[in-house]
Amino acid sequence: MTNIQLDLTHTRAFIRPEEFSAIEPQVLAAAKVLDGRQGPGSDFLGWLDLPVKYDRAEFRRVKAAAKRIQRQSEILVVIGIGGSYLGAKAALEFCCPTPPISPAPSRKKGPVQICFAGTNLSGPYLAQLLEALGDRDFSVNVISKSGTTTEPAIAFRVFKKKLEEKYSKEGARSRIYATTDKARGALKTLADREGYETFVVPDDVGGRFSVLTAVGLLPIAVAGIDVDALLQGAADARTRYRTAPFAENDVLQYAAARNILHRKGKAIEMLINYEPRLHFLAEWWKQLYGESEGKDGKGIFTAGADFTTDLHSLGQYIQDGRRHLFETLLDIERPEADITLETTADDLDGLNYLAGKTLDYVNKKAAQGTLEAHTDGGVPNLRIAIPEATPYYLGQLFYFFEKACAVSGYLLGVNPFDQPGVEAYKKNMFRLLKE
Ligand code: PA5
């Protein structure tokens, strides 16, 4: 089995080999502190061993619940925000991307459609979702580690009522799944009182590191994605990144490269993709790195861009604007579907020279041309090669980014596992709501 791979070729004009040598001891020290569970936030390192050390009985319950939801419902409404939303959304889009238009209805019962609520406080969004739900059969997976987050709590109120009206209180009970703390929080109290099936967000796994717990695994399994392959990918990555020496360890190399670039004034990292299915992986990554590193006046600002689309909007700035950026390209090597271009008799658009070439060929040339142009323009480019968009490689990616994030945080001198800044807007919002 091949692996995802970090390619630093296009950082060479910006980072000298001796800079890697100079930072090596610091990166190794950060990784040692992490693996030795001696750093700040070390109570939140459950994710490090999750791919091999997880509750087997609960994992079986997750799979059984997924089958039940598939039998009972056409739609699963997943309610959660931040770390209780982005991992599942990223995985669903990576493995089964939303088609640009809804496919024609087929007589064959298709897979369960998964939609998300509680990711915002928009009235129009929720109203539209309820209307689209119509009288179709649905189940709900409400996810909140704290059990007290406002956005999902409000959405859950609405969907709980709708389920109870549609199926009676008893019927609703068998369609609600709560993923939350094992003992604390309003959601846990409610779930116990109402008798919902519950899944646990382990105490030692923070929201943004929770995709490989029931938080991500239940919606992912409901979508029919192979969760065993996902965990296997993460497990293989765990082994590799624990043992590989600095020069061959992509986690350590990624942490080193971004830290060196940050020290040279590169304040923004853009995660770049050329495939729409990767958009939400960047959203997940933005939270992971933004919330883990952005504190104490430090951190790289995380942004995502969808190319070639955003080359027609952000391209000018990236090529020519302030030089405080670097890019990390997510590059899927083998697409699972493609289109071959054909000749036309008149060749009015002048594209006959591409006849016989596939769209993926053109896309890859665009990526290569952009990478070279941006590098020439003073934007260092890192590249992560992903052999295929399969659950196995996604498992590798999740683990790669999580571990590199933790090492990066320690290298920066912050606690990567807290998020004190997230409370500020909440305090103001509650004060204003209660006035
Ligand atoms: O990473 C985090 O801790 C946050 O983004 C949380 O996941 C997010 O705020 C949602 O919190 P909760 O799961 O407690 O509702």
Side-chain angles (χ1 to χ4, degrees):
M1 191 69 84
T2 46
N3 299 315
I4 59 163
Q5 228 155 14
L6 178 70
D7 169 9
L8 294 177
T9 313
H10 288 85
T11 61
R12 286 199 189 124
F14 306 90
I15 307 176
R16 295 186 308 278
E18 52 274 29
E19 291 178 285
F20 271 107
S21 311
I23 205 171
E24 179 177 343
Q26 294 164 51
V27 178
L28 291 176
K32 192 166 170 215
V33 164
L34 177 69
D35 288 333
R37 295 166 191 266
Q38 291 154 341
S42 59
D43 291 348
F44 289 92
L45 294 181
W47 57 271
L48 255 182
D49 294 329
L50 255 187
V52 290
K53 247 168 85 184
Y54 55 90
D55 181 338
R56 261 56 185 180
E58 178 165 281
F59 186 57
R60 282 194 293 276
R61 277 201 306 117
V62 164
K63 286 178 162 178
K67 289 227 164 66
R68 200 174 324 122
I69 293 168
Q70 287 166 345
R71 274 197 310 274
Q72 278 186 328
S73 291
E74 217 182 308
I75 293 167
L76 174 68
V77 182
V78 178
I79 299 177
I81 195 165
S84 292
Y85 151 64
L86 286 162
K89 180 70 181 167
L92 297 183
E93 286 296 324
F94 185 92
C95 298
C96 0
T98 308
I101 58 165
S102 309
S106 92
R107 260 176 282 145
K108 211 173 75 197
K109 198 174 170 289
V112 179
Q113 272 187 55
I114 301 190
C115 62
F116 291 86
T119 58
N120 56 53
L121 289 167
S122 159
Y125 178 86
L126 208 56
Q128 202 184 18
L129 181 51
L130 285 166
E131 199 189 322
L133 211 49
D135 61 1
R136 295 197 276 175
D137 283 317
F138 72 103
S139 299
V140 165
N141 179 200
V142 52
I143 310 171
S144 176
K145 179 171 174 165
S146 63
T148 56
T149 306
T150 311
E151 291 90 336
I154 288 177
F156 184 53
R157 261 194 182 216
V158 173
F159 283 98
K160 177 174 183 287
K161 180 163 175 276
K162 185 154 168 99
L163 274 172
E164 290 177 352
E165 282 168 0
K166 188 173 163 74
Y167 300 103
S168 81
K169 207 165 172 52
E170 190 53 40
R173 185 169 297 146
S174 67
R175 288 173 177 271
I176 296 176
Y177 302 84
T179 308
T180 188
D181 187 87
K182 68 176 185 310
R184 281 170 307 204
L187 178 58
K188 176 63 180 163
T189 310
L190 178 75
D192 286 348
R193 191 166 304 160
E194 300 279 346
Y196 305 148
E197 173 149 26
T198 57
F199 298 100
V200 173
V201 191
D203 284 344
D204 57 359
V205 180
R208 57 190 175 275
F209 289 84
S210 69
V211 60
L212 299 177
T213 70
V215 170
L217 294 178
L218 179 56
I220 293 171
V222 172
I225 296 166
D226 184 347
V227 283
D228 292 298
L230 184 77
L231 285 175
Q232 189 58 53
D236 290 350
R238 172 182 170 274
T239 308
R240 195 164 60 253
Y241 301 134
R242 269 166 78 91
T243 49
F246 180 71
E248 291 153 35
N249 191 319
D250 284 351
V251 157
L252 305 183
Q253 292 284 311
Y254 180 51
R258 50 199 306 286
N259 193 275
I260 295 169
L261 292 170
H262 183 48
R263 290 183 201 195
K264 294 181 170 206
K266 304 295 182 194
I268 299 169
E269 179 176 8
M270 299 185 72
L271 199 69
I272 304 297
N273 73 75
Y274 285 78
E275 291 292 343
R277 71 192 320 144
L278 293 171
H279 173 85
F280 277 95
L281 192 64
E283 294 301 305
W284 170 82
W285 168 90
K286 271 159 64 177
Q287 186 209 4
L288 181 65
Y289 280 74
E291 230 171 66
S292 300
E293 289 189 311
K295 53 196 70 159
D296 307 336
K298 301 181 189 174
I300 296 172
F301 183 81
T302 50
D306 303 323
F307 286 177
T308 57
T309 314
D310 290 336
L311 287 173
H312 297 259
S313 59
L314 297 171
Q316 170 62 36
Y317 188 105
I318 299 171
Q319 187 66 49
D320 220 11
R322 195 166 158 202
R323 304 296 71 191
H324 56 168
L325 305 166
F326 68 98
E327 293 173 309
T328 298
L329 166 64
L330 294 178
D331 192 2
I332 298 175
E333 294 188 316
R334 285 187 297 281
E336 91 281 15
D338 211 347
I339 302 276
T340 303
L341 299 169
E342 295 173 3
T343 48
T344 61
D346 49 24
D347 194 26
L348 281 179
D349 56 12
L351 291 177
N352 269 359
Y353 75 98
L354 289 176
K357 300 280 192 280
T358 66
L359 209 50
D360 186 61
Y361 172 86
V362 179
N363 204 16
K364 289 210 163 40
K365 293 294 171 208
Q368 195 184 334
T370 306
L371 196 128
E372 286 167 14
H374 288 182
T375 307
D376 290 346
V379 178
N381 263 260
L382 291 73
R383 176 177 164 268
I384 295 168
I386 305 162
E388 281 172 295
T390 62
Y392 177 77
Y393 293 120
L394 180 61
Q396 291 196 7
L397 279 168
F398 278 143
Y399 197 88
F400 164 79
F401 278 128
E402 286 178 356
K403 186 153 191 190
C405 177
V407 174
S408 295
Y410 283 159
L411 206 49
L412 200 62
V414 298
N415 174 356
F417 306 111
D418 65 2
Q419 54 281 328
V422 179
E423 292 310 308
Y425 97 91
K426 293 185 191 167
K427 268 193 213 141
N428 287 348
M429 177 176 75
F430 293 134
R431 177 178 49 75
L432 291 166
L433 284 171
K434 286 176 182 166
E435 255 171 27

